[in-house]
Amino acid sequence: MTMIATTLSALAEFPSQLEQFYDAFPRELTRWIPDSWEGCPSENLTALEQICHVRDIELEGYHVRFRRLLNETGPVLASLDTYALVKERNYAAAEPSAVFGAFRAARQATVETLRPLSDEQLARAGTFEGYGPVTVRGLLHYLCSHDQQHLAGLQWLMGKAESARPRARFTPT
């Protein structure tokens, strides 16, 4: 299997993987904020905010970026202000099932757009703000990398939460 095929497969499977990780998160910790974000591998977002971010970046970031690369000559692709979206859209009040429903549909549309592309289409280029020159093929890999950052972010949050719990005292016998 080629790298593109492998990456497309990972992209298609990601919504289920993300939902499994999120569902395993204790409900009382989905809005939990650590004392420090030092070392966080993703944006500094709660578990609930992470899934909202992934949904919105898919729809308003990557859908727009792929469309522009495929239809325009040398577009400059904007980065989105994650933290502004968190506030504007009140991510803390989001309903996870609705977030996952929208994300699944958006990701399916992404994969359906990308899967049939020719080598020529995958080579279409532009500039991605904060990344520099980018092709459709490169952006596809950036999207997969972004997915992995958010799985890592959820794991990091769980690590911080588990480490912040009161510790049982060990008494040698």
Side-chain angles (χ1 to χ4, degrees):
M1 198 161 17
T2 67
M3 179 59 100
I4 292 295
T6 301
T7 303
L8 284 169
S9 178
L11 290 174
E13 294 167 7
F14 180 69
S16 294
Q17 190 178 25
L18 182 65
E19 191 165 10
Q20 284 180 317
F21 274 73
Y22 184 82
D23 285 347
F25 228 83
R27 287 296 139 244
E28 71 274 9
L29 295 178
T30 60
R31 292 174 174 87
W32 179 76
I33 298 170
D35 291 338
S36 167
W37 290 99
E38 185 177 348
C40 184
S42 64
E43 289 86 352
N44 300 341
L45 303 171
T46 67
L48 179 57
E49 291 168 346
Q50 295 244 3
I51 67 169
C52 293
H53 166 76
V54 168
R55 173 205 57 203
D56 289 347
I57 292 301
E58 187 80 12
L59 288 164
E60 297 171 34
Y62 285 94
H63 278 196
V64 171
R65 293 171 190 140
F66 284 121
R67 184 174 55 249
R68 291 192 63 208
L69 282 172
L70 290 167
N71 296 311
E72 298 176 24
T73 301
V76 175
L77 310 173
S79 288
L80 299 179
D81 184 343
T82 296
Y83 300 108
L85 289 174
V86 168
K87 289 181 179 166
E88 289 168 13
R89 300 194 180 163
N90 192 18
Y91 282 3
E95 173 53 48
S97 62
V99 172
F100 280 113
F103 178 54
R104 280 182 185 286
R107 179 52 63 87
Q108 182 177 351
T110 300
V111 172
E112 288 173 1
T113 297
L114 298 173
R115 197 174 299 279
L117 296 180
S118 67
D119 284 339
E120 183 180 318
Q121 289 170 308
L122 289 168
R124 290 188 58 85
T127 302
F128 187 5
E129 189 177 81
Y131 289 79
V134 68
T135 62
V136 172
R137 180 180 279 113
L139 191 62
L140 186 147
H141 293 294
Y142 288 150
L143 174 55
C144 194
S145 170
H146 183 261
D147 287 353
Q148 298 308 306
Q149 286 176 308
H150 287 284
L151 287 181
L154 288 177
Q155 287 292 348
W156 182 90
L157 277 168
M158 196 73 257
K160 288 293 262 190
E162 288 293 346
S163 297
R165 288 182 191 244
R167 294 173 219 359
R169 283 192 166 284
F170 175 72
T171 309
T173 54

